[in-house]
């Protein structure tokens, strides 16, 4: 009976999903003991744990109050942004709130009243924790998507930044790069930083609202269009240099460089219709625990891995005291299907 229970526990990782449990109690010729497996937390909505910062100072509309209008009604500028009035304010927290009854709430920038000086805004998302992206980053804009923007990432809590993807209505003009699509990348270029024109051309503010960083399309290069061959993806994440780190971030930064124009040029006689408005940012991922934990909890203002395998630290990045007979190593997805825990001894 004990043997059957041990066998069932051993098969649990396959029954409930890959890398869901870290260990099971098994019986061997030397007696019962723990058998360890590589493990990782489940994916979750990372916007629930994020800290947001918008800069430069004064880029959020409403102080002082100002009028604005939309591209649909460019000369009916009766809308107002007023930071002192909760019904008319558009603070950064509205990018992450729940929107009741389909009514969009959004952060909004000042208008482009200082044209031709560029209208620049940075939106920085910080987790104070390494996370691994598991799905597309989706940014929803109201009143038109930017014609030029950049997505950047940090791996060291914002000390250094690296380009993640460029967006423009004309990539060559904006960034001196040819336009490319993620679905045209190959297995050797899956982590290439590219410029896309797919999300920047004017399509009407009420039609196309989202800008994506296509994580799933990059995964599909290895796992197939339906992401059914996950074993191949896990193998490549383990073996391809830099691929795992490509999907790992501690911070994300959106650099908004030019707003929606509603056409081909800026109408200087009506600058109140040019601004940025973001209603939602979706980031789906899991805590990076180096395959040493299957739980991650929010403690003392930040996410923490619940470390197994005799490891410790925010990312399970070192061995516990008295378990250092060999150097710490991250767990491995290989060999499939349970991986190698590389537990501290």
């Amino acid at each position: 009976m004990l043997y059957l229970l041990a066998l069932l526990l051993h098969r649990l990782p396959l029954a409930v999903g890959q890398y869901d449990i870290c260990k099971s109690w098994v019986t061997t010729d030397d007696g019962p003991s723990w058998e360890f497996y590589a493990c990782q937390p489940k994916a979750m909505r990372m916007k629930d744990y994020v800290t947001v910062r918008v800069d430069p100072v004064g880029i959020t509309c409403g102080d002082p109050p100002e009028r604005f209008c939309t591209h649909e009604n460019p000369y009916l500028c009766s809308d107002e942004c007023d930071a002192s009035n909760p019904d008319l304010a558009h603070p950064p927290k509205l990018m992450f709130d729940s929107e009741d009854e389909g009514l969009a709430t959004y952060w909004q920038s000042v208008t482009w009243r200082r044209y031709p000086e560029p209208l620049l805004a940075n939106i920085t998302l910080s987790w104070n924790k390494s996370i691994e992206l598991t799905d597309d980053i989706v940014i929803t804009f109201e009143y038109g998507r930017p014609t030029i923007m950049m997505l950047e990432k940090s791996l060291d809590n914002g000390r250094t930044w690296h380009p993640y993807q460029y967006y423009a209505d004309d990539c060559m003009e904006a960034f001196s790069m040819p336009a490319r699509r993620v679905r045209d990348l190959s297995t050797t270029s899956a982590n290439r930083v590219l410029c896309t024109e797919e999300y920047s051309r004017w399509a009407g503010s009420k039609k196309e609202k989202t800008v994506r960083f296509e994580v799933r399309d990059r995964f599909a290069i290895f796992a197939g269009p339906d992401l059914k061959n996950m074993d191949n993806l896990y193998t490549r994440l383990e073996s391809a240099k830099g691929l795992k780190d490509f999907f790992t971030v501690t911070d994300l930064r959106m650099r908004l460089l030019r707003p929606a124009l509603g056409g081909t040029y800026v109408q200087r006689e009506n600058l109140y219709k040019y601004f940025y408005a973001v209603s939602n940012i979706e980031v789906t991922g899991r805590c990076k625990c180096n395959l040493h934990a299957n739980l991650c909890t929010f403690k003392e203002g930040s996410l923490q891995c619940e470390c197994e395998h005799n490891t410790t630290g925010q990312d399970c990045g070192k061995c516990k005291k008295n378990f250092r007979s060999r150097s710490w190593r991250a767990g491995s997805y290989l060999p499939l299907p349970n991986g190698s825990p590389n537990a501290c001894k």
Side-chain angles (χ1 to χ4, degrees):
M1 184 68 181
L2 185 60
Y3 171 79
L4 291 175
L5 178 60
L7 182 63
L8 176 62
L9 289 171
H10 179 76
R11 300 297 296 177
L12 262 178
L14 301 181
V16 300
Q18 285 180 303
Y19 314 111
D20 281 348
I21 68 170
C22 296
K23 61 186 178 182
S24 64
W25 189 246
V26 298
T27 299
T28 68
D29 293 341
D30 297 325
S33 64
W34 287 112
E35 182 171 343
F36 295 112
Y37 317 112
C39 54
Q40 60 189 4
K42 292 181 179 179
M44 55 187 180
R45 295 188 346 160
M46 285 296 171
K47 74 175 188 178
D48 295 337
Y49 309 97
V50 74
T51 300
V52 61
R53 185 180 77 252
V54 176
D55 60 83
V57 174
I59 191 64
T60 299
C61 70
D63 186 18
E66 68 171 319
R67 294 182 299 117
F68 67 93
C69 45
T70 66
H71 292 288
E72 289 89 352
N73 298 297
Y75 297 102
L76 185 62
C77 297
S78 57
D79 294 312
E80 186 178 9
C81 180
D82 184 350
S84 65
N85 184 337
D87 294 328
L88 300 176
H90 295 281
K93 67 180 181 180
L94 296 183
M95 292 185 281
F96 305 99
D97 65 334
S98 57
E99 298 177 340
D100 298 327
E101 300 177 358
L103 298 175
T105 58
Y106 49 90
W107 166 81
Q108 184 174 319
S109 76
V110 297
T111 60
W112 206 358
R113 59 182 181 268
R114 294 183 178 177
Y115 178 86
E117 180 183 324
L119 182 62
L120 306 179
N122 293 333
I123 301 172
T124 304
L125 312 182
S126 301
W127 286 274
N128 192 33
K129 170 80 181 74
S130 298
I131 64 172
E132 297 171 329
L133 301 176
T134 59
D135 208 335
D136 293 359
I137 299 169
V138 184
I139 309 149
T140 304
F141 288 87
E142 303 295 326
Y143 307 114
R145 301 176 294 187
T147 52
I148 303 177
M149 65 171 279
M150 286 178 60
L151 182 65
E152 297 177 314
K153 62 173 282 189
S154 176
L155 279 165
D156 54 13
N157 299 303
R159 287 186 289 275
T160 60
W161 292 93
H162 310 278
Y164 220 6
Q165 191 147 298
Y166 298 90
Y167 303 82
D169 56 351
D170 188 328
C171 284
M172 190 59 70
E173 178 184 327
F175 298 112
S176 300
M177 298 173 65
R180 299 196 65 178
R181 299 179 303 176
V182 170
R183 49 187 173 272
D184 294 331
L185 297 177
S186 67
T187 55
T188 58
S189 62
N191 58 348
R192 176 174 294 176
V193 176
L194 53 78
C195 181
T196 177
E197 296 176 354
E198 192 169 350
Y199 304 101
S200 305
R201 296 188 182 278
W202 176 252
S205 63
K206 290 188 176 181
K207 294 181 181 179
E208 299 294 340
K209 293 186 174 184
T210 59
V211 171
R212 290 179 175 267
F213 177 77
E214 304 98 330
V215 172
R216 291 178 65 87
D217 283 351
R218 292 179 188 260
F219 285 170
I221 295 170
F222 307 104
D226 297 324
L227 302 185
K228 291 183 178 179
N229 190 7
M230 293 299 291
D231 283 353
N232 189 50
L233 173 61
Y234 286 130
T235 299
R236 296 306 291 262
L237 285 171
E238 201 64 53
S239 60
K241 184 178 180 180
L243 189 61
K244 192 184 294 186
D245 279 348
F246 182 79
F247 298 107
T248 303
V249 305
T250 59
D251 306 73
L252 291 167
R253 181 166 66 188
M254 283 154 278
R255 294 181 57 194
L256 310 181
L257 304 176
R258 191 173 71 192
L261 301 183
T264 57
Y265 64 94
V266 177
Q267 295 179 324
R268 303 182 67 144
E269 68 274 13
N270 185 7
L271 299 176
Y272 294 110
K273 64 179 180 178
Y274 303 118
F275 54 88
Y276 305 109
V278 179
S279 61
N280 193 45
I281 303 175
E282 287 292 344
V283 180
T284 304
R286 63 168 58 93
C287 292
K288 179 180 180 180
C289 301
N290 287 296
L291 296 179
H292 288 313
N294 64 345
L295 293 175
C296 186
T297 56
F298 195 68
K299 295 180 180 178
E300 300 175 355
S302 64
L303 289 164
Q304 304 276 340
C305 296
E306 299 287 335
C307 300
E308 301 275 2
H309 304 160
N310 305 315
T311 63
T312 187
Q314 190 180 31
D315 298 347
C316 306
K318 58 184 178 181
C319 292
K320 286 182 177 179
K321 188 178 180 180
N322 299 327
F323 287 89
R324 298 172 183 168
S325 63
R326 65 182 183 190
S327 299
W328 174 91
R329 291 174 59 196
S332 171
Y333 290 117
L334 302 177
L336 301 171
N338 294 325
S340 301
N342 297 326
C344 296
K345 298 292 186 179

